[in-house]
Amino acid sequence: MEDNQTTSFTISVNLYGDSSATARELPEPDIHIITSGALRIPAHASVLALVSPVLENIIDRPRKHRSSEKVISILGVPCDAVVAFVRFLYSSRSTEEEMERFGIHLLALSHVYAVPQLKQRCTKALGERLTIGNVVDVLQLARMCDAPDLYLKCLKLVAGHFKAVEKTEGWKFLQDYDPWLELQIFQFMDEAESRKKRSRRHKEEQRLYLQLSEAMECLEHICTEGCTSVGPHDTEPNKKKGPCSKFSTCQGLQLLIRHFGTCKKRVNGGCLRCKRMWQLLRLHSSICDQSDSCRVPLCRQFKLRMQLDKNKNDARWKLLVRKVVSAKAISSLSLPKRKREELQFQETHNHGIRSFRL
């Protein structure tokens, strides 16, 4: 009996953060918490009821005998974990050592007894301590304790290191006793892989639209200012002119234009390079809003043709045009304000004939 009293007194003091002054301010304990090891932890019903609505319901539950002692049993976890739990109820604090030793038990207790502040603390601490060896156990606990952030973090770790995780005892246990969770993990991995594929495809498409947008800018640049080997009909190309800022694209387009101007197969539609040039000219016409003053060849003709064929519903081409226009807008927004103003001025004051000089 003396051992129990000594243990109770020590724990009672520790509950208040090792402060005897705080302990003296509280009244005598009026309730005891019993653990799996038959340890009796003295506590105050008013404090427990204030912090946990579940404990409040237990305390308010009618007793068989009015004179019987108030007791709450917290079983199934280590005695020291219960002590750490009660200490948090009093002080709203927990040490790193407690989280290291009893994080899993404290998460379960915080969920069962509805202590959200402790649950948040445990979720963060367990997430920081996830390993290949414990991730399956924490995953199962996170699902049972309704901790979605921790659950998602565990799923990501399992998906990213599945070869190592499937060799652990936790995974073997899960395969034997929780096939539904195993199925959920595989579904998450499939969805994650699908998202990666969609993301890669989207990035590739955006890169293509940006390349087409850059090609449209280079086409206008060649037809208005001229570049190293190709320029407007009324301007002699300057061989000594330095490369422009997008010369890699400009150079390829100039070679394509030179081929387009001399190819003999394009009349019969048998040249793939010429078909590509036709598509670039058509794309320019589709996004150009200054056809009367535009110096790009065939811009006006393509617009007239599109007006005649507007009843034809070419949804894929319209989608391509919208994507390229969007890419052009995003690209222009990334430029400094002064550069954007210069480009707008050039677009407003571009006049002249619509043909190349090779």
Side-chain angles (χ1 to χ4, degrees), residues 12-152:
S12 180
V13 174
N14 287 341
L15 288 175
Y16 320 122
D18 296 321
S19 172
S20 57
T22 307
R24 286 195 297 268
E25 292 175 3
L26 289 170
E28 287 295 318
D30 56 356
I31 195 168
H32 282 82
I33 297 173
I34 299 179
T35 69
S36 297
L39 181 68
R40 295 170 61 87
I41 305 175
H44 302 83
S46 58
V47 174
L48 302 183
L50 183 66
V51 179
S52 168
V54 177
L55 290 174
E56 181 182 18
N57 291 335
I58 295 174
I59 293 168
D60 292 341
R61 189 181 301 162
R63 299 190 301 278
K64 291 182 179 180
H65 304 286
R66 188 177 296 272
S67 61
S68 61
E69 183 184 21
K70 289 183 179 180
V71 173
I72 297 176
S73 298
I74 299 181
L75 310 175
V77 294
C79 298
D80 290 342
V82 180
V83 173
F85 175 66
V86 177
R87 185 180 295 118
F88 185 91
L89 297 182
Y90 275 86
S91 64
S92 298
R93 292 193 300 270
S94 59
T95 65
E96 289 297 320
E97 181 184 358
E98 289 172 342
M99 284 295 152
E100 184 71 36
R101 294 176 60 195
F102 309 118
I104 289 178
H105 306 100
L106 290 174
L107 176 59
L109 291 172
S110 69
H111 175 70
V112 170
Y113 294 102
V115 185
Q117 190 176 358
L118 177 58
K119 188 174 184 178
Q120 184 179 7
R121 173 83 171 88
C122 293
T123 298
K124 181 180 179 182
L126 289 173
E128 292 171 351
R129 292 167 171 81
L130 280 179
T131 64
I132 299 297
N134 70 7
V135 65
V136 176
D137 296 331
V138 177
L139 176 64
Q140 292 175 298
L141 181 65
R143 183 184 60 167
M144 290 187 292
C145 293
D146 190 24
D149 292 343
L150 182 60
Y151 182 76
L152 181 60

Side-chain angles (χ1 to χ4, degrees), residues 61-283:
R61 189 181 301 162
R63 299 190 301 278
K64 291 182 179 180
H65 304 286
R66 188 177 296 272
S67 61
S68 61
E69 183 184 21
K70 289 183 179 180
V71 173
I72 297 176
S73 298
I74 299 181
L75 310 175
V77 294
C79 298
D80 290 342
V82 180
V83 173
F85 175 66
V86 177
R87 185 180 295 118
F88 185 91
L89 297 182
Y90 275 86
S91 64
S92 298
R93 292 193 300 270
S94 59
T95 65
E96 289 297 320
E97 181 184 358
E98 289 172 342
M99 284 295 152
E100 184 71 36
R101 294 176 60 195
F102 309 118
I104 289 178
H105 306 100
L106 290 174
L107 176 59
L109 291 172
S110 69
H111 175 70
V112 170
Y113 294 102
V115 185
Q117 190 176 358
L118 177 58
K119 188 174 184 178
Q120 184 179 7
R121 173 83 171 88
C122 293
T123 298
K124 181 180 179 182
L126 289 173
E128 292 171 351
R129 292 167 171 81
L130 280 179
T131 64
I132 299 297
N134 70 7
V135 65
V136 176
D137 296 331
V138 177
L139 176 64
Q140 292 175 298
L141 181 65
R143 183 184 60 167
M144 290 187 292
C145 293
D146 190 24
D149 292 343
L150 182 60
Y151 182 76
L152 181 60
K153 195 166 187 177
C154 292
L155 283 176
K156 289 181 177 179
L157 181 60
V158 172
H161 302 82
F162 182 71
K163 292 295 184 184
V165 171
E166 68 175 347
K167 297 177 182 178
T168 62
E169 291 298 322
W171 180 260
K172 294 173 183 176
F173 179 87
L174 181 143
Q175 284 184 306
D176 293 335
Y177 298 101
D178 200 346
W180 178 246
L181 181 56
E182 181 186 13
L183 178 61
Q184 287 182 316
I185 292 172
F186 286 139
Q187 287 176 339
F188 176 83
M189 292 171 63
D190 288 340
E191 291 171 2
E193 187 62 29
S194 298
R195 283 194 297 270
K196 286 181 181 179
K197 289 180 180 178
R198 287 196 300 270
S199 178
R200 285 195 296 266
R201 186 165 61 248
H202 177 72
K203 288 180 180 179
E204 291 171 359
E205 290 174 353
Q206 288 301 114
R207 187 160 51 247
L208 172 62
Y209 298 140
L210 285 171
Q211 289 173 350
L212 287 172
S213 174
E214 188 174 288
M216 296 298 99
E217 293 178 12
C218 289
L219 184 60
E220 294 179 23
H221 156 67
I222 291 170
C223 296
T224 55
E225 304 170 1
C227 202
T228 53
S229 61
V230 181
H233 182 269
D234 57 349
T235 304
E236 187 72 29
N238 188 354
K239 302 292 185 181
K240 297 181 180 179
K241 187 176 182 179
C244 62
S245 60
K246 300 174 181 176
F247 185 69
S248 58
T249 303
C250 235
Q251 177 68 1
L253 195 53
Q254 287 182 96
L255 294 174
L256 189 59
I257 291 171
R258 293 180 68 86
H259 168 83
F260 183 76
T262 57
C263 181
K264 302 187 183 306
K265 291 183 180 180
R266 67 185 173 90
V267 178
N268 299 322
C271 180
L272 293 177
R273 295 179 68 187
C274 290
K275 285 182 179 179
R276 193 175 300 120
M277 189 67 220
W278 279 112
Q279 289 173 337
L280 290 175
L281 292 171
R282 180 189 174 192
L283 180 59

Side-chain angles (χ1 to χ4, degrees), residues 304-319:
L304 292 172
R305 183 176 176 181
M306 284 187 287
Q307 290 176 0
L308 294 174
D309 297 341
K310 64 181 179 180
N311 292 330
K312 294 182 180 179
N313 185 18
D314 194 346
R316 293 181 64 184
W317 181 262
K318 291 179 180 178
L319 177 62

